[in-house]
Amino acid sequence: MDGMSVTWRKASRSTANGGNCVEVGRIANKILVRDSKAPGAGHLTLSPEVFREFLADLKEGRVGV
């Protein structure tokens, strides 16, 4: 991350499935999302607005998981 430190966190419900889930971090005005099983495989970078829309879609069942 260009020398910047990111603090990653898991969802509070991540204890299901052995604790494997996505992790979320924040740097500057960006939200980062990565797979907890493969943290070195890269991450998605989203704006806070897009991340909020994504979470709303998940909660409403508009995204297949």
Side-chain angles (χ1 to χ4, degrees), residues 2-41:
D2 299 331
M4 296 179 168
S5 177
V6 177
T7 300
W8 295 96
R9 62 183 175 88
K10 291 183 183 182
S12 60
R13 297 183 184 188
S14 68
T15 56
N17 300 320
N20 294 323
C21 65
V22 296
E23 295 175 315
V24 177
R26 185 173 189 131
I27 197 162
N29 195 29
K30 302 292 181 197
I31 306 296
L32 310 175
V33 182
R34 71 180 182 181
D35 183 344
S36 67
K37 296 182 305 294

